[in-house]
Amino acid sequence: MFRLQGSKVLAVDMTGDAVKAKNGSMVAYDGQMAFKKLSGGGEGLRGMVTRRLTGEQMTVMEVRGQGTCWFADRASEINLVTLHGDKLYVESSNLLATDAGLRTGTTFTGLRGASQGNGLFTTTVEGHGQAAITSDGPAVVLRVSPQYPLSVDPGAYVAHQGDLRQSFQSGVTFRTLMGEGGGEAFQIRFEGDGLVYVQPSERNTIAGDV
């Protein structure tokens, strides 16, 4: 029921079912729709508490009805991900919408971004269905294999899925390798077998200079 109209607008066709989306992301709808604000963005008390502790705020709404609803977020590129019982790890700011049947929650990923109080927990999406994630510019999907681990600039990281181990490396940065100062103070390293989504533009990360 998810389809793209262009690269920056998500259309969701509904026949009495529901979709969860970032609050304020709806740009138009036809037919009959009912809207409900959901607290937290994770499931249950733990989701709300962890987001409050880490500052990773995500306000979600549920849209249910008959017709088509269109969503967008600040002209960001939209990427569709189909899950077949597996789990998607995504930055909360990059999660636009999910099938209502998909379970969302949070998972601890390490000390990334501890200085600015976010990124300790990453949003998870799990189950069977579709999710829409956003990126600043067209996202690139990179394959990680046991023979070829991948290191990613944290400002460019969007999401990952598959059997991947995530770790954080400090001391060596992309920009210092190029002889430039003020770069990220760490990299995210992925090992295993899976996919990593990166964007061609970096978000601001205060921890980069720490």
Side-chain angles (χ1 to χ4, degrees), residues 2 4 15 22 37 40 42 44 85 110 140 151 155 162 166 172 177 179 182 197:
F2 282 21
L4 294 180
T15 55
K22 180 182 290 187
K37 183 177 179 180
V140 177
S151 294
Q166 184 179 358
V172 178
L177 285 174
Y197 298 77

Side-chain angles (χ1 to χ4, degrees), residues 14-193:
M14 287 180 277
T15 55
D17 43 355
V19 62
K20 290 184 289 187
K22 180 182 290 187
N23 198 41
S25 62
M26 186 197 68
V27 294
Y29 72 91
D30 62 20
Q32 298 295 322
M33 297 289 170
F35 304 90
K36 181 173 67 174
K37 183 177 179 180
L38 303 177
S39 299
E43 290 187 332
L45 181 62
R46 179 180 177 274
M48 287 186 282
V49 170
T50 54
R51 290 182 191 284
R52 189 170 296 122
L53 288 176
T54 62
E56 188 171 283
Q57 299 298 323
M58 180 183 173
T59 306
V60 178
M61 63 180 176
E62 181 186 79
V63 184
R64 182 183 299 273
Q66 301 270 354
T68 301
C69 208
W70 288 269
F71 302 92
D73 186 22
R74 294 173 296 179
S76 297
E77 300 281 335
I78 300 172
N79 314 269
L80 298 183
V81 180
T82 301
L83 298 178
H84 302 282
D86 49 331
K87 184 180 291 186
L88 174 72
Y89 299 82
V90 58
E91 292 291 296
S92 65
S93 59
N94 294 95
L95 182 59
L96 177 64
T98 68
D99 284 348
L102 290 173
R103 300 181 301 279
T104 57
T106 54
T107 186
F108 183 71
T109 57
L111 298 179
R112 173 173 53 88
S115 64
Q116 77 267 34
N118 63 18
L120 292 173
F121 290 83
T122 292
T123 297
T124 58
V125 182
E126 187 175 11
H128 294 268
Q130 285 184 297
I133 60 177
T134 61
S135 57
D136 187 2
V140 177
V141 185
L142 302 175
R143 164 69 66 178
V144 181
S145 67
Q147 297 81 13
Y148 295 98
L150 179 72
S151 294
V152 176
D153 187 312
Y157 168 78
V158 173
H160 73 272
Q161 64 185 129
D163 184 18
L164 292 177
R165 298 180 304 280
Q166 184 179 358
S167 60
F168 303 94
Q169 299 175 314
S170 60
V172 178
T173 75
F174 286 96
R175 290 189 183 84
T176 53
L177 285 174
M178 299 298 292
E180 299 177 11
E184 301 297 342
F186 51 87
Q187 303 170 7
I188 310 175
R189 181 179 174 87
F190 293 95
E191 297 177 274
D193 187 10

